């Protein structure tokens, strides 16, 4: 028996465990066909293999960014009980326990054994639009992890580190506040030291940098996405490098034109696109609210009636987007990108954000945009299509119904590795069939369009609540 325990990156406490009794080969990596799937930009799609050799286990590195055992970089080595395996220099740490007497409570691909207290959203906040790093269909380059500063090896000066921290958190130490003050347009002088906007006039009190006509207040997650301000309005500004290929630039420009023309209550309002320096930018409204992921964490999992009613408007939006010429794909649908806004909108209670990673369908392939666990196999291979958004919709249903990430219910079947909704306890059979169809590995086996998914959800939403519920 071997038990793998993912450790918290700072506190070194257990986060999640996997126990294997009969396997002779265990694969770990970013792709969903691994036995242990880990989300990290520095983890390769297939990073390491653990192989049983008689009474011993050995680890074999497959990843571009390397594998470390007890702090030493290895290519192949024998595992010992209690050893710490780290994927890439700054990647996740996994503790190895060997023997039947070291078996903790483990998820083992079943929600009943996942500790409730481990469901922590490190992205907690009012806007959850940009969470995961973008990977590629190919293995990450060897310098990918070297570009990420760590506490132990950073080339940044102390001030640069403080400024980088401000870009993400909006918090500056007192001695740097004066350097980030905006031009003295605001005449109010009773703002608190850490305030970003004046509570009286709404003007920004400090600015990180300027892009075109927009003052940039802070970064939002990763991938060149910012919180900006102009003429009394806050905006989400997504950057795109003009150094990209000609096809990528055309796709971005076409996407910007399409999104700025589409008006839908579930879609944030897109205002304009502009160029500045070597990049182009797409500007949309800032949506403040609570994500459905946060809602589940605070209030518990939903029943099938609630899930159906929340997601019917999302299906209506996907109908509109997928009917564009060419189709517009979101490619990052997940509970944290579904926001219940604080300011009520006219005809919906939900807004789909995270459009910094949206894409227009082109004939190109090779780029993986999305989040492992919510991304269809063809999307992970860099060949997304409208059915890829439907896959993510089905994976989102799993989280809303259970409170657990969808990969909890992935396992090997008779022929393939996929999500099995029938493993979710006490789930209505109609919802089981819907989720299994949406998350089928073959896009041709999924529903033909979002309109058909909407019809199915409408049927489920009419079920008497006392009869149908999510997992308990």
């Amino acid at each position: 028996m071997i038990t793998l325990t993912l450790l918290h990156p700072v506190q070194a406490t257990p986060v999640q465990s996997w126990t294997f009794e009969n396997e002779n080969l265990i694969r770990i990596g970013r792709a969903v066909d691994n036995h242990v799937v880990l989300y990290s930009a520095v983890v390769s799609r297939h990073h390491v293999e653990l192989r049983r050799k008689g009474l011993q286990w050995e680890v074999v590195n497959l990843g571009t960014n390397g594998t470390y055992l007890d702090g030493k970089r290895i290519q192949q080595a024998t595992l010992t009980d209690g050893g710490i395996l780290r994927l890439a220099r700054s990647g996740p740490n996994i503790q190895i326990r060997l023997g039947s007497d070291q078996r903790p409570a483990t998820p083992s691909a079943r929600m009943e054994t996942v500790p409730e207290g481990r469901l922590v959203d490190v992205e907690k906040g009012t806007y959850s639009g940009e969470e995961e790093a973008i990977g590629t269909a190919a293995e990450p380059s060897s310098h990918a992890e070297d570009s990420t500063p760590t506490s132990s090896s950073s080339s940044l000066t102390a001030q640069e580190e403080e400024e980088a921290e401000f870009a993400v958190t909006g918090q500056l130490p007192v001695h740097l506040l004066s350097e980030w003050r905006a031009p003295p347009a605001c005449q109010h002088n009773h703002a608190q030291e850490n305030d970003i906007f004046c509570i009286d006039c709404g003007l920004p009190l400090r600015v990180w940098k300027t892009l075109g006509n927009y003052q940039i207040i802070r970064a939002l997650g990763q991938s060149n996405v910012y919180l900006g301000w102009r003429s009394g309005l806050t905006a989400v500004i997504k950057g795109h490098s003009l150094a990209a290929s000609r096809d990528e630039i055309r796709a971005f420009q076409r996407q910007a034109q399409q999104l700025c023309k589409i008006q839908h209550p579930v879609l944030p309002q897109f205002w304009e696109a502009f160029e500045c320096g070597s990049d182009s930018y797409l500007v949309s409204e800032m949506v403040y609210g609570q994500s459905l992921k946060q809602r589940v964490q605070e209030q518990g999992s939903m029943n099938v009636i609630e899930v159906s009613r929340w997601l019917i408007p999302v299906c209506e939006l996907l109908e509109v987007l997928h009917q564009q010429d060419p189709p517009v794909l979101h490619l990052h649908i997940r509970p944290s990108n579904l926001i219940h806004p604080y300011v009520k909108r006219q005809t919906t209670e939900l807004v789909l954000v995270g459009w910094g990673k949206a894409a227009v369908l082109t004939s190109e392939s090779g780029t993986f945009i999305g989040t492992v666990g919510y991304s269809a196999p063809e999307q992970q291979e860099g060949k997304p299509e409208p059915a890829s958004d439907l896959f993510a919709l089905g994976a989102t249903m799993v989280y809303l119904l259970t409170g657990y990430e969808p990969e909890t219910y992935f396992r090997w079947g008779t022929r393939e590795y996929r999500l099995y909704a029938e493993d979710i306890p006490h789930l209505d059979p109609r919802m089981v069939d819907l989720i299994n169809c949406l998350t089928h590995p073959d896009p041709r086996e999924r529903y033909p369009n979002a309109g058909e998914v909407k019809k199915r959800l409408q049927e489920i939403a009419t079920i008497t609540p006392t009869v149908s519920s999510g997992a308990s």
Side-chain angles (χ1 to χ4, degrees):
M1 175 182 293
I2 183 172
T3 296
L4 312 179
T5 301
L6 179 66
L7 301 179
H8 188 281
V10 177
Q11 302 171 356
T13 55
V15 174
Q16 187 173 357
S17 295
W18 300 263
T19 295
F20 303 93
E21 297 185 0
N22 302 314
E23 288 81 355
N24 293 316
L25 176 66
I26 301 169
R27 298 184 180 90
I28 306 174
R30 202 180 68 239
V32 296
D33 60 350
N34 290 286
H35 296 85
V36 176
V37 181
L38 297 175
Y39 311 142
S40 173
V42 299
V43 173
S44 299
R45 297 189 69 225
H46 300 94
H47 200 104
V48 296
E49 288 185 353
L50 307 184
R51 301 171 181 174
R52 189 197 300 268
K53 297 291 184 179
L55 298 178
Q56 293 183 323
W57 283 86
E58 66 177 19
V59 55
V60 178
N61 170 63
L62 304 176
T64 304
N65 289 331
T67 299
Y68 296 75
L69 180 61
D70 294 330
K72 297 180 180 180
R73 185 161 184 164
I74 56 94
Q75 187 61 36
Q76 185 170 346
T78 300
L79 294 175
T80 58
D81 184 44
I84 302 296
L85 196 66
R86 187 169 76 249
L87 278 57
R89 180 166 56 83
S90 58
N93 291 301
I94 300 174
Q95 185 181 47
I96 308 296
R97 302 312 303 261
L98 304 174
S100 59
D101 58 334
Q102 302 292 343
R103 183 178 185 179
T106 66
S108 187
R110 292 295 183 274
M111 62 158 285
E112 302 97 299
T113 56
V114 179
E116 184 74 17
R118 300 305 180 196
L119 297 178
V120 179
D121 185 2
V122 298
E123 301 286 340
K124 189 82 170 180
T126 57
Y127 176 76
S128 305
E130 303 298 329
E131 292 191 301
E132 301 290 341
I134 297 180
T136 60
E139 298 294 353
S141 61
S142 59
H143 61 77
E145 62 166 336
D146 295 332
S147 63
T148 304
T150 66
S151 57
S152 59
S153 59
S154 172
S155 60
L156 298 180
T157 66
Q159 178 169 330
E160 287 172 334
E161 289 180 344
E162 290 169 327
E163 293 175 354
E165 177 70 11
F166 167 73
V168 177
T169 66
Q171 302 291 324
L172 267 184
V174 174
H175 70 276
L176 285 180
L177 290 177
S178 60
E179 301 179 21
W180 290 81
R181 291 290 180 185
C186 174
Q187 302 302 316
H188 304 96
N189 56 12
H190 58 270
Q192 299 297 314
E193 290 291 350
N194 287 328
D195 285 348
I196 296 177
F197 295 98
C198 175
I199 61 175
D200 291 304
C201 63
L203 294 175
L205 297 175
R206 60 187 68 93
V207 175
W208 179 29
K209 59 183 178 180
T210 300
L211 291 175
N213 294 321
Y214 292 88
Q215 293 178 315
I216 303 303
I217 308 303
R218 58 180 288 190
L220 294 174
Q222 303 180 21
S223 188
N224 219 16
V225 183
Y226 308 104
L227 170 64
W229 184 92
R230 177 184 178 185
S231 303
L233 295 175
T234 55
V236 177
I237 302 175
K238 163 65 179 178
H240 185 81
S241 175
L242 292 178
S245 70
R246 184 175 302 177
D247 288 337
E248 289 177 320
I249 293 172
R250 282 200 297 260
F252 178 84
Q253 293 171 340
R254 184 166 59 243
Q255 175 198 77
Q257 293 174 355
Q258 289 179 296
L259 290 175
C260 287
K261 291 178 181 178
I262 299 173
Q263 300 293 321
H264 194 280
V266 183
L267 185 70
Q269 185 177 355
F270 288 85
W271 292 329
E272 64 172 331
F274 67 93
E275 294 183 4
C276 182
S278 61
D279 295 320
S280 55
Y281 298 90
L282 178 62
V283 184
S284 67
E285 68 170 314
M286 181 68 174
V287 180
Y288 292 94
Q290 181 189 51
S291 73
L292 291 191
K293 181 172 185 177
Q294 295 164 2
R295 188 182 183 95
V296 167
Q297 289 177 333
E298 294 178 7
Q299 302 180 23
S301 59
M302 304 178 185
N303 62 44
V304 296
I305 309 298
E306 293 171 315
V307 171
S308 299
R309 290 173 179 169
W310 276 113
L311 296 185
I312 284 172
V314 179
C315 292
E316 294 173 348
L317 172 62
L318 293 179
E319 276 191 278
V320 174
L321 297 175
H322 293 170
Q323 290 172 2
Q324 300 297 306
D325 185 19
V328 176
L329 312 183
H330 186 278
L331 300 183
H332 203 62
I333 296 173
R334 55 179 302 176
S336 56
N337 280 338
L338 293 167
I339 304 297
H340 179 46
Y342 295 140
V343 179
K344 187 176 181 180
R345 299 165 83 91
Q346 291 183 349
T347 59
T348 185
E349 296 183 348
L350 202 63
V351 181
L352 178 59
V353 300
W355 291 93
K357 297 186 179 74
V360 178
L361 182 60
T362 68
S363 59
E364 297 228 1
S365 63
T367 300
F368 167 36
I369 302 177
T371 304
V372 177
Y374 293 87
S375 301
E378 72 277 2
Q379 182 178 341
Q380 294 192 43
E381 295 174 0
K383 301 175 182 179
E385 54 184 272
S388 303
D389 279 342
L390 301 186
F391 182 102
L393 195 64
T396 296
M397 293 176 187
V398 171
Y399 182 86
L400 299 181
L401 288 163
T402 68
Y404 296 90
E405 296 296 342
E407 67 271 13
T408 304
Y409 302 100
F410 275 78
R411 61 177 170 85
W412 282 100
T414 55
R415 294 188 305 170
E416 56 200 359
Y417 185 80
R418 58 162 300 175
L419 190 152
Y420 287 89
E422 55 266 36
D423 291 350
I424 300 175
H426 316 302
L427 184 60
D428 185 279
R430 283 167 284 194
M431 185 61 81
V432 170
D433 292 341
L434 173 61
I435 293 174
N436 280 341
C437 183
L438 288 173
T439 58
H440 197 286
D442 187 346
R444 295 169 297 183
E445 297 295 328
R446 298 173 206 151
Y447 283 89
N449 54 62
E452 292 299 318
V453 182
K454 173 188 170 182
K455 292 179 182 177
R456 188 61 177 152
L457 288 174
Q458 288 174 327
E459 295 172 359
I460 295 175
T462 61
I463 304 171
T464 305
T466 57
V467 175
S468 175
S469 63
S472 60

